[in-house]
Amino acid sequence: MKEKQYISSQLNYLKASPTPFHAVAAALRLLEDSGFIRLFEKTPWSSLAKGKYFVTRNDSSLIAFTWDETCTGKLHIAGAHLDSPGLKIKPRPVREKHHCLQLGVEVYGGALLAPWFDRDLSIAGRVCCHQDNDTLHTPLIDFKRAIGIIPSLAIHFDREANKGRKINNQTDLVPVIGLTDNFTRGFYALLKDQLLKEHPEYANAEILDFDLFLYDVTPPLLTGLHEELLTGSRLDNLLSCHACLQGIISTGQQANSLIILNDHEEVGSLSTTGAQGSFLEDILSRLYKNPIERQQVLRKSLFISADNAHAVHPNFDDKHDPQHLPVLNGGPVIKYNANQRYATNARTAAQFRMFCHLAEVPVQEFVMRSDMACGSTIGPMTSAALGIDTVDVGIPTLAMHSIRETAAKSDCWFLFRALQKFFSAEKNT
Ligand SMILES: [Zn+2]
């Protein structure tokens, strides 16, 4: 795969993935197009033939792997998270105020909220419905067009707005989705109309519940004088998810490799689909039925936890340690933290450096200023739960957790190439 083709695939993946559900559905299409076979946790897996497989959980997390039962050596594992901070629609969302029709939302994760104002927003996610019998279905919907906005308060009512305005999540962040005069049929009827537009086969379905998010309709794009920058929503962490997917898709079958794409990283990972849940352990125990053998394999293996890193911001460079300034177009960043907020150690960092060297891509380092608190990611929890050596890495990004983030196009390509080397460089013997 060439860089241009990779970036085009990256942009398509971002466009198709306004929510974790859509990101899993888009991943599933990429994997099936490349010959991966879908498995289900609800059924037993008799001994799997040599091949490529994937399994999803709750439509919002995914594990894909290449498998050859006779390989008892290393398992190459990479992981990333599919969720991003944002606004989730409440169960009884509709409110009418001064002719404005509005939707109540909860803030999901540590969102940077100011950029959500005055954006054209759409709605996407999944609905849960039943039809004709008791079976529940969870089709995805995506309105795709702008239907909402969170208008700012005019500066005339708050002359101090530019000196730092506090945002109240309950009262300030309530999007307007139209005028009350035109709204007669209720929110569920609106969802049913959209469901039928996308899935006519649900004509007799009754929608019982939903998981829906707001998102920015502005598509991701290349910008900069030479189109060297990539901007969009959810770059943290769909850039890493895409690199993991394309990495395992492009690897040969000589080694056993696995990727895990988790949900709920932005809210602490404690769920059936999060990194503190049982998903990875459950799948590994199906693959390696003997627990001693499983432990031996994991102790030989490396987990690359990929999650975007903070690039140094040209307007705020004093926020970084002056010796550790990850730059855009500087390659993947290895993340260090003495207090184990990142699971990197000298040995795992050295291994990642070797893959970057083999792939001929640059590599850089991040450590938080010693007088500031450090974030974390799925690396430490997966490492602790499985006893697997882990390195935390990521693509340098500006404006992390904004509704629109910025990265360098080349860094996406560099991470993919490093992961490709990881998945395919060593024979699994
Ligand atoms: Zn992240």
Side-chain angles (χ1 to χ4, degrees):
M1 184 182 269
K2 296 271 188 287
E3 181 173 0
K4 201 171 172 188
Q5 193 187 354
Y6 181 82
I7 297 302
S8 157
S9 166
Q10 174 72 81
L11 287 169
N12 287 338
Y13 186 63
L14 287 165
K15 276 182 212 160
S17 306
T19 72
F21 306 111
H22 289 82
V24 165
L28 189 151
R29 290 193 291 273
L30 280 175
L31 291 165
E32 282 184 336
D33 287 350
S34 306
F36 281 71
I37 296 163
R38 185 168 191 172
L39 299 169
F40 295 90
E41 283 191 281
K42 288 179 183 169
T43 56
W45 304 352
S46 46
S47 62
L48 292 176
K50 183 177 173 182
K52 306 187 281 186
Y53 302 94
F54 70 94
V55 55
T56 68
R57 187 179 271 196
N58 190 42
D59 309 325
S60 68
S61 58
L62 177 144
I63 288 174
F65 54 94
T66 61
W67 184 246
D68 178 354
E69 201 174 25
T70 61
C71 289
T72 53
K74 296 172 183 176
L75 176 65
H76 303 306
I77 311 182
H81 66 88
L82 286 157
D83 61 319
S84 305
L87 301 181
K88 185 167 194 262
I89 297 177
K90 289 181 175 177
R92 293 166 62 90
V94 174
R95 131 182 161 175
E96 299 182 11
K97 226 173 167 185
H98 311 299
H99 281 214
C100 288
L101 185 67
Q102 295 183 282
L103 286 184
V105 294
E106 283 184 276
V107 176
Y108 175 85
L112 191 62
L113 293 172
W116 278 83
F117 288 84
D118 308 323
R119 295 262 175 186
D120 291 311
L121 303 172
S122 189
I123 294 173
R126 69 173 179 180
V127 295
C128 190
C129 56
H130 74 98
Q131 169 166 281
D132 302 331
N133 55 37
D134 287 339
T135 314
L136 292 175
H137 301 261
T138 51
L140 306 190
I141 59 170
D142 179 358
F143 283 76
K144 288 201 167 127
R145 63 191 180 88
I147 50 176
I149 191 157
I150 307 172
S152 290
L153 177 66
I155 193 152
H156 313 82
F157 296 116
D158 181 5
R159 298 284 179 187
E160 299 297 301
N162 290 333
K163 294 181 183 152
R165 174 184 280 171
K166 279 204 174 133
I167 297 169
N168 180 305
N169 292 359
Q170 173 67 20
T171 57
D172 299 354
L173 280 174
V174 192
V176 175
I177 61 156
L179 300 174
T180 51
D181 308 340
N182 305 327
F183 190 71
T184 51
R185 294 175 53 233
F187 189 61
Y188 274 78
L190 187 78
L191 299 183
K192 182 70 189 288
D193 290 349
Q194 185 60 31
L195 177 65
L196 290 186
K197 221 184 250 180
E198 296 183 53
H199 307 279
E201 67 273 24
Y202 288 108
N204 299 323
E206 184 191 359
I207 297 177
L208 301 173
D209 220 310
F210 55 81
D211 288 312
L212 295 170
F213 294 85
L214 296 179
Y215 73 93
D216 186 357
V217 291
T218 315
L221 47 80
L222 298 179
T223 181
L225 284 175
H226 302 287
E227 296 196 327
E228 60 271 61
L229 300 174
L230 192 159
T231 60
S233 294
R234 290 174 32 77
L235 301 194
D236 170 18
N237 190 25
L238 293 181
L239 297 185
S240 307
C241 293
H242 184 257
C244 288
L245 283 163
Q246 293 292 6
I248 199 163
I249 283 170
S250 65
T251 185
Q253 180 83 58
Q254 77 270 36
N256 283 339
S257 298
L258 181 148
I259 61 166
I260 175 157
L261 307 182
N262 285 116
D263 196 3
H264 295 146
E265 189 273 345
E266 300 292 359
V267 291
S269 296
L270 190 61
S271 72
T272 52
T273 53
Q276 290 202 64
S278 63
F279 192 23
L280 182 52
E281 219 167 331
D282 289 345
I283 298 307
L284 288 174
S285 59
R286 286 190 186 226
L287 297 178
Y288 302 96
K289 294 188 178 58
N290 178 334
I292 302 295
E293 184 204 342
R294 182 165 71 243
Q295 192 206 352
Q296 284 169 343
V297 169
L298 288 173
R299 287 307 302 151
K300 289 185 227 171
S301 302
L302 175 68
F303 176 53
I304 297 182
S305 156
D307 192 0
N308 289 10
H310 296 292
V312 59
H313 194 306
N315 303 345
F316 302 96
D317 55 0
D318 60 339
K319 295 291 180 191
H320 278 252
D321 181 284
Q323 294 296 113
H324 302 86
L325 300 165
V327 292
L328 297 175
N329 194 29
V333 179
I334 302 175
K335 302 190 264 186
Y336 297 80
N337 182 256
N339 298 306
Q340 297 302 300
R341 303 286 290 164
Y342 300 128
T344 308
N345 62 40
R347 191 178 166 77
T348 58
Q351 286 174 275
F352 187 72
R353 285 179 197 283
M354 279 173 12
F355 296 122
C356 289
H357 177 73
L358 287 169
E360 298 177 345
V361 306
V363 62
Q364 40 189 347
E365 303 80 25
F366 173 79
V367 62
M368 196 50 136
R369 281 180 64 102
S370 304
D371 53 5
M372 287 173 72
C374 183
S376 190
T377 181
I378 62 169
M381 356 186 146
T382 306
S383 177
L386 297 182
I388 185 168
D389 290 338
T390 298
V391 59
D392 277 298
V393 304
I395 290 169
T397 316
L398 295 173
M400 193 183 288
H401 291 193
S402 169
I403 193 171
R404 201 156 183 89
E405 300 166 321
T406 299
K409 180 175 73 174
S410 52
D411 290 323
C412 305
W413 171 240
F414 290 151
L415 177 65
F416 159 68
R417 280 178 43 202
L419 287 177
Q420 200 182 26
K421 281 288 171 209
F422 168 57
F423 285 132
S424 56
E426 292 176 67
K427 281 251 177 202
N428 190 22
T429 51

